[in-house]
Amino acid sequence: MLAPSSVVDALYDAVRHRIVNGELVGGEKLTEARLTGEYGVARTTAKACLERLTTAGLLRRTAHRTAVVTELGAAEVSDLYFARLAVEGAAVRRLAERRDLPATATAAQAQVVSAVDAHDFRRQAEADMAFHAALVNGAGSERLSRMHGLIMGEVHLTMGQSRAHLVPGRSAVGDEHDAILAAVLAGDAAGAVAALETHLAHAQSRVQARLARAAAQQDAQQEAQQQADPGAAN
Amino acid sequence: MLAPSSVVDALYDAVRHRIVNGELVGGEKLTEARLTGEYGVARTTAKACLERLTTAGLLRRTAHRTAVVTELGAAEVSDLYFARLAVEGAAVRRLAERRDLPATATAAQAQVVSAVDAHDFRRQAEADMAFHAALVNGAGSERLSRMHGLIMGEVHLTMGQSRAHLVPGRSAVGDEHDAILAAVLAGDAAGAVAALETHLAHAQSRVQARLARAAAQQDAQQEAQQQADPGAAN
DNA sequence: CAAGACTGATTGTTAGACAATTTGCTGCGC
DNA sequence: GCGCAGCAAATTGTCTAACAATCAGTCTTG
């Protein structure tokens, strides 16, 4: 893993990690001056970095307004997974048609299983991302990979938010990944896509459930606060 | 159509138009200094613009090297259409499942037909882009639209190169568009996707044929030159 | 004739400046 | 007390100028 030669690249990676690791929480503001101060770079560089993070979906920004760390709502998560299925589905279909099982995918899958066994959520998330990226890259379409990269930043975001999530069953994730790989290997395009679809549906429902819990918790907090200080009600 | 409020936006649009209209030909170099001089903007602005054009696929650039206008080869066109089918296919499938015919799509289709009748190739290309964009946007997925935008720049490129192309049959394009819309309206998801697939396949084969002709022509030119000056070979 | 050094062009990054815009606050009138 | 105009601070958008790093071609030299 070589260090990025460009300052903008390095800064991008640094901030990206802080975001997906939850160090920079959703809704937090990120001014150009802040990056300038924290990393000792020129404002021009900071601006370029923010622009990239914005196109990657990790930040939201409109003209003349400060960039804020993306906070995905239920509808947006749903949209994200729809787009994800479109891209990964195309990749998996092609892989199955060619009976081409990318070595990187099986390697990543092994990492997932190992991380699950070790209860290492961070590593599991990374390996899961690597697995899906391997499927798409394995399809050998530069543009499909680019499109995938465009949305995987946001996907990573939903995983960062789930650091403390419960492990589903024993390891539904591992089994579902295996099902996809098996169908690909069998040359069963429709089956592979179907397996991918159910896998993504499960993943999404976990995210949505956690989102709903978080929203309920926040509501409860607000209510409690309101009861303690009724005058401050909107 | 409001003028872009940002200088970078305006510059981006201006250069983009010059590229897709063939004024800036494939392989041509675009330095930051050149934009600075031609448009009277700061180099910072020019650089930001070039970066955007690069992510849109209209330019190619590697670190420390001058950006050049993208020139698509046969393999890249094939890849482009594969990615395109993945995105537009997902959109059309969703539209059919909802039996949702976007008004913008039918409007764009009318424009296509009218442009075909008028033999106005430029307008036909624009309307065709608008039609496909309307299908995707009609699906209502922000991320799918973003991904589509990521590759439509390159698609536009292939159309700009075909300014002088022959009209296929009478208007296969119009009929194929109609077939897609009909299937969507009938709620026939599989049929709509299939219609889209054949449409895109035809479109691609036209582009590839033109590409092959151009390559053959270039070879012939090279050969003639070589015969006139044999010593300069290789 | 080939390998290496030099030169010009180009990009990457920084610093500082100013205009335009947004935002939060202040104070005014009601 | 409340809404609203306006002001001040913060922030972004763009520009100018400069220097270092890198690349492409040329030129020298053995």
Side-chain angles (χ1 to χ4, degrees), chain B residues 201-221:
Chain B
H202 287 171
Q204 184 189 174
S205 73
R206 280 196 297 276
V207 174
Q208 295 283 12
R210 184 162 31 75
L211 224 56
R213 272 202 307 276
Q217 203 170 352
Q218 201 169 343
D219 281 356
Q221 263 183 4

PDB file of all heavy atoms in Angstrom, chain B residues 201-221:
ATOM      1  N   ALA B 201     -27.876  -2.261 -28.646  1.00  0.00           N
ATOM      2  CA  ALA B 201     -26.991  -3.073 -29.479  1.00  0.00           C
ATOM      3  C   ALA B 201     -26.885  -2.467 -30.868  1.00  0.00           C
ATOM      4  O   ALA B 201     -25.794  -2.369 -31.441  1.00  0.00           O
ATOM      5  CB  ALA B 201     -27.509  -4.504 -29.548  1.00  0.00           C
ATOM      6  N   HIS B 202     -28.019  -2.047 -31.421  1.00  0.00           N
ATOM      7  CA  HIS B 202     -27.996  -1.428 -32.743  1.00  0.00           C
ATOM      8  C   HIS B 202     -27.179  -0.142 -32.726  1.00  0.00           C
ATOM      9  O   HIS B 202     -26.361   0.100 -33.616  1.00  0.00           O
ATOM     10  CB  HIS B 202     -29.425  -1.135 -33.194  1.00  0.00           C
ATOM     11  CG  HIS B 202     -30.175  -2.356 -33.589  1.00  0.00           C
ATOM     12  ND1 HIS B 202     -31.529  -2.352 -33.862  1.00  0.00           N
ATOM     13  CD2 HIS B 202     -29.779  -3.641 -33.743  1.00  0.00           C
ATOM     14  CE1 HIS B 202     -31.920  -3.577 -34.174  1.00  0.00           C
ATOM     15  NE2 HIS B 202     -30.870  -4.373 -34.103  1.00  0.00           N
ATOM     16  N   ALA B 203     -27.447   0.653 -31.706  1.00  0.00           N
ATOM     17  CA  ALA B 203     -26.728   1.927 -31.608  1.00  0.00           C
ATOM     18  C   ALA B 203     -25.229   1.669 -31.549  1.00  0.00           C
ATOM     19  O   ALA B 203     -24.442   2.318 -32.243  1.00  0.00           O
ATOM     20  CB  ALA B 203     -27.186   2.697 -30.370  1.00  0.00           C
ATOM     21  N   GLN B 204     -24.860   0.685 -30.745  1.00  0.00           N
ATOM     22  CA  GLN B 204     -23.432   0.407 -30.620  1.00  0.00           C
ATOM     23  C   GLN B 204     -22.837  -0.080 -31.937  1.00  0.00           C
ATOM     24  O   GLN B 204     -21.741   0.351 -32.317  1.00  0.00           O
ATOM     25  CB  GLN B 204     -23.162  -0.639 -29.534  1.00  0.00           C
ATOM     26  CG  GLN B 204     -21.678  -0.851 -29.350  1.00  0.00           C
ATOM     27  CD  GLN B 204     -21.320  -2.012 -28.452  1.00  0.00           C
ATOM     28  OE1 GLN B 204     -20.166  -2.341 -28.310  1.00  0.00           O
ATOM     29  NE2 GLN B 204     -22.314  -2.649 -27.829  1.00  0.00           N
ATOM     30  N   SER B 205     -23.565  -0.944 -32.625  1.00  0.00           N
ATOM     31  CA  SER B 205     -22.985  -1.487 -33.852  1.00  0.00           C
ATOM     32  C   SER B 205     -22.806  -0.373 -34.881  1.00  0.00           C
ATOM     33  O   SER B 205     -21.859  -0.408 -35.672  1.00  0.00           O
ATOM     34  CB  SER B 205     -23.863  -2.613 -34.397  1.00  0.00           C
ATOM     35  OG  SER B 205     -25.038  -2.098 -34.968  1.00  0.00           O
ATOM     36  N   ARG B 206     -23.690   0.610 -34.860  1.00  0.00           N
ATOM     37  CA  ARG B 206     -23.489   1.750 -35.778  1.00  0.00           C
ATOM     38  C   ARG B 206     -22.194   2.483 -35.419  1.00  0.00           C
ATOM     39  O   ARG B 206     -21.380   2.801 -36.291  1.00  0.00           O
ATOM     40  CB  ARG B 206     -24.681   2.717 -35.690  1.00  0.00           C
ATOM     41  CG  ARG B 206     -25.896   2.274 -36.472  1.00  0.00           C
ATOM     42  CD  ARG B 206     -26.878   3.411 -36.670  1.00  0.00           C
ATOM     43  NE  ARG B 206     -27.425   3.916 -35.416  1.00  0.00           N
ATOM     44  CZ  ARG B 206     -28.462   3.395 -34.783  1.00  0.00           C
ATOM     45  NH1 ARG B 206     -29.055   2.310 -35.273  1.00  0.00           N
ATOM     46  NH2 ARG B 206     -28.903   3.914 -33.669  1.00  0.00           N
ATOM     47  N   VAL B 207     -22.024   2.728 -34.129  1.00  0.00           N
ATOM     48  CA  VAL B 207     -20.809   3.422 -33.697  1.00  0.00           C
ATOM     49  C   VAL B 207     -19.575   2.608 -34.062  1.00  0.00           C
ATOM     50  O   VAL B 207     -18.591   3.144 -34.580  1.00  0.00           O
ATOM     51  CB  VAL B 207     -20.844   3.684 -32.177  1.00  0.00           C
ATOM     52  CG1 VAL B 207     -19.523   4.283 -31.711  1.00  0.00           C
ATOM     53  CG2 VAL B 207     -21.997   4.605 -31.817  1.00  0.00           C
ATOM     54  N   GLN B 208     -19.639   1.312 -33.804  1.00  0.00           N
ATOM     55  CA  GLN B 208     -18.477   0.456 -34.082  1.00  0.00           C
ATOM     56  C   GLN B 208     -18.167   0.431 -35.570  1.00  0.00           C
ATOM     57  O   GLN B 208     -16.996   0.458 -35.965  1.00  0.00           O
ATOM     58  CB  GLN B 208     -18.740  -0.968 -33.577  1.00  0.00           C
ATOM     59  CG  GLN B 208     -18.891  -1.088 -32.062  1.00  0.00           C
ATOM     60  CD  GLN B 208     -17.564  -1.036 -31.319  1.00  0.00           C
ATOM     61  OE1 GLN B 208     -16.540  -0.694 -31.894  1.00  0.00           O
ATOM     62  NE2 GLN B 208     -17.593  -1.350 -30.029  1.00  0.00           N
ATOM     63  N   ALA B 209     -19.213   0.380 -36.382  1.00  0.00           N
ATOM     64  CA  ALA B 209     -18.988   0.345 -37.822  1.00  0.00           C
ATOM     65  C   ALA B 209     -18.283   1.622 -38.274  1.00  0.00           C
ATOM     66  O   ALA B 209     -17.317   1.583 -39.045  1.00  0.00           O
ATOM     67  CB  ALA B 209     -20.326   0.196 -38.553  1.00  0.00           C
ATOM     68  N   ARG B 210     -18.749   2.729 -37.772  1.00  0.00           N
ATOM     69  CA  ARG B 210     -18.132   4.011 -38.141  1.00  0.00           C
ATOM     70  C   ARG B 210     -16.679   4.045 -37.675  1.00  0.00           C
ATOM     71  O   ARG B 210     -15.781   4.495 -38.376  1.00  0.00           O
ATOM     72  CB  ARG B 210     -18.922   5.156 -37.513  1.00  0.00           C
ATOM     73  CG  ARG B 210     -18.411   6.513 -37.933  1.00  0.00           C
ATOM     74  CD  ARG B 210     -19.463   7.557 -37.667  1.00  0.00           C
ATOM     75  NE  ARG B 210     -20.266   7.202 -36.514  1.00  0.00           N
ATOM     76  CZ  ARG B 210     -19.857   7.298 -35.269  1.00  0.00           C
ATOM     77  NH1 ARG B 210     -18.659   7.733 -35.017  1.00  0.00           N
ATOM     78  NH2 ARG B 210     -20.634   6.954 -34.274  1.00  0.00           N
ATOM     79  N   LEU B 211     -16.475   3.533 -36.465  1.00  0.00           N
ATOM     80  CA  LEU B 211     -15.124   3.472 -35.902  1.00  0.00           C
ATOM     81  C   LEU B 211     -14.208   2.654 -36.809  1.00  0.00           C
ATOM     82  O   LEU B 211     -13.078   3.044 -37.095  1.00  0.00           O
ATOM     83  CB  LEU B 211     -15.204   2.825 -34.516  1.00  0.00           C
ATOM     84  CG  LEU B 211     -14.402   3.465 -33.394  1.00  0.00           C
ATOM     85  CD1 LEU B 211     -14.784   4.926 -33.258  1.00  0.00           C
ATOM     86  CD2 LEU B 211     -14.663   2.738 -32.090  1.00  0.00           C
ATOM     87  N   ALA B 212     -14.735   1.509 -37.268  1.00  0.00           N
ATOM     88  CA  ALA B 212     -13.936   0.630 -38.119  1.00  0.00           C
ATOM     89  C   ALA B 212     -13.609   1.330 -39.432  1.00  0.00           C
ATOM     90  O   ALA B 212     -12.478   1.251 -39.932  1.00  0.00           O
ATOM     91  CB  ALA B 212     -14.700  -0.671 -38.377  1.00  0.00           C
ATOM     92  N   ARG B 213     -14.610   1.996 -39.987  1.00  0.00           N
ATOM     93  CA  ARG B 213     -14.363   2.739 -41.233  1.00  0.00           C
ATOM     94  C   ARG B 213     -13.274   3.778 -41.035  1.00  0.00           C
ATOM     95  O   ARG B 213     -12.356   3.895 -41.843  1.00  0.00           O
ATOM     96  CB  ARG B 213     -15.654   3.423 -41.694  1.00  0.00           C
ATOM     97  CG  ARG B 213     -16.543   2.571 -42.569  1.00  0.00           C
ATOM     98  CD  ARG B 213     -17.487   3.443 -43.401  1.00  0.00           C
ATOM     99  NE  ARG B 213     -18.257   4.383 -42.587  1.00  0.00           N
ATOM    100  CZ  ARG B 213     -19.384   4.079 -41.963  1.00  0.00           C
ATOM    101  NH1 ARG B 213     -19.879   2.855 -42.056  1.00  0.00           N
ATOM    102  NH2 ARG B 213     -20.027   4.979 -41.260  1.00  0.00           N
ATOM    103  N   ALA B 214     -13.391   4.516 -39.944  1.00  0.00           N
ATOM    104  CA  ALA B 214     -12.406   5.565 -39.677  1.00  0.00           C
ATOM    105  C   ALA B 214     -11.020   4.970 -39.536  1.00  0.00           C
ATOM    106  O   ALA B 214     -10.034   5.511 -40.044  1.00  0.00           O
ATOM    107  CB  ALA B 214     -12.798   6.326 -38.413  1.00  0.00           C
ATOM    108  N   ALA B 215     -10.935   3.833 -38.852  1.00  0.00           N
ATOM    109  CA  ALA B 215      -9.632   3.196 -38.657  1.00  0.00           C
ATOM    110  C   ALA B 215      -9.056   2.759 -39.997  1.00  0.00           C
ATOM    111  O   ALA B 215      -7.870   2.951 -40.277  1.00  0.00           O
ATOM    112  CB  ALA B 215      -9.781   2.001 -37.726  1.00  0.00           C
ATOM    113  N   ALA B 216      -9.913   2.172 -40.855  1.00  0.00           N
ATOM    114  CA  ALA B 216      -9.457   1.715 -42.156  1.00  0.00           C
ATOM    115  C   ALA B 216      -8.938   2.894 -42.975  1.00  0.00           C
ATOM    116  O   ALA B 216      -7.880   2.819 -43.615  1.00  0.00           O
ATOM    117  CB  ALA B 216     -10.606   1.025 -42.889  1.00  0.00           C
ATOM    118  N   GLN B 217      -9.678   3.967 -42.926  1.00  0.00           N
ATOM    119  CA  GLN B 217      -9.290   5.170 -43.660  1.00  0.00           C
ATOM    120  C   GLN B 217      -7.926   5.672 -43.187  1.00  0.00           C
ATOM    121  O   GLN B 217      -7.058   6.015 -43.988  1.00  0.00           O
ATOM    122  CB  GLN B 217     -10.350   6.249 -43.404  1.00  0.00           C
ATOM    123  CG  GLN B 217     -10.400   7.311 -44.493  1.00  0.00           C
ATOM    124  CD  GLN B 217     -11.617   8.198 -44.320  1.00  0.00           C
ATOM    125  OE1 GLN B 217     -12.465   7.921 -43.484  1.00  0.00           O
ATOM    126  NE2 GLN B 217     -11.706   9.260 -45.088  1.00  0.00           N
ATOM    127  N   GLN B 218      -7.755   5.653 -41.878  1.00  0.00           N
ATOM    128  CA  GLN B 218      -6.494   6.130 -41.310  1.00  0.00           C
ATOM    129  C   GLN B 218      -5.342   5.228 -41.740  1.00  0.00           C
ATOM    130  O   GLN B 218      -4.266   5.714 -42.094  1.00  0.00           O
ATOM    131  CB  GLN B 218      -6.618   6.165 -39.792  1.00  0.00           C
ATOM    132  CG  GLN B 218      -5.601   7.086 -39.137  1.00  0.00           C
ATOM    133  CD  GLN B 218      -5.923   7.300 -37.676  1.00  0.00           C
ATOM    134  OE1 GLN B 218      -7.039   7.023 -37.245  1.00  0.00           O
ATOM    135  NE2 GLN B 218      -4.969   7.776 -36.909  1.00  0.00           N
ATOM    136  N   ASP B 219      -5.608   3.920 -41.750  1.00  0.00           N
ATOM    137  CA  ASP B 219      -4.580   2.978 -42.185  1.00  0.00           C
ATOM    138  C   ASP B 219      -4.172   3.265 -43.617  1.00  0.00           C
ATOM    139  O   ASP B 219      -2.980   3.302 -43.944  1.00  0.00           O
ATOM    140  CB  ASP B 219      -5.106   1.541 -42.071  1.00  0.00           C
ATOM    141  CG  ASP B 219      -5.035   1.053 -40.630  1.00  0.00           C
ATOM    142  OD1 ASP B 219      -4.524   1.807 -39.786  1.00  0.00           O
ATOM    143  OD2 ASP B 219      -5.496  -0.065 -40.360  1.00  0.00           O
ATOM    144  N   ALA B 220      -5.158   3.471 -44.467  1.00  0.00           N
ATOM    145  CA  ALA B 220      -4.888   3.736 -45.865  1.00  0.00           C
ATOM    146  C   ALA B 220      -4.040   4.989 -46.008  1.00  0.00           C
ATOM    147  O   ALA B 220      -3.063   5.017 -46.768  1.00  0.00           O
ATOM    148  CB  ALA B 220      -6.212   3.911 -46.620  1.00  0.00           C
ATOM    149  N   GLN B 221      -4.384   6.004 -45.241  1.00  0.00           N
ATOM    150  CA  GLN B 221      -3.608   7.243 -45.276  1.00  0.00           C
ATOM    151  C   GLN B 221      -2.166   6.996 -44.883  1.00  0.00           C
ATOM    152  O   GLN B 221      -1.235   7.428 -45.555  1.00  0.00           O
ATOM    153  CB  GLN B 221      -4.219   8.267 -44.323  1.00  0.00           C
ATOM    154  CG  GLN B 221      -5.145   9.250 -45.021  1.00  0.00           C
ATOM    155  CD  GLN B 221      -5.663  10.290 -44.040  1.00  0.00           C
ATOM    156  OE1 GLN B 221      -5.261  10.299 -42.880  1.00  0.00           O
ATOM    157  NE2 GLN B 221      -6.544  11.141 -44.491  1.00  0.00           N
TER     158      GLN B 221
END
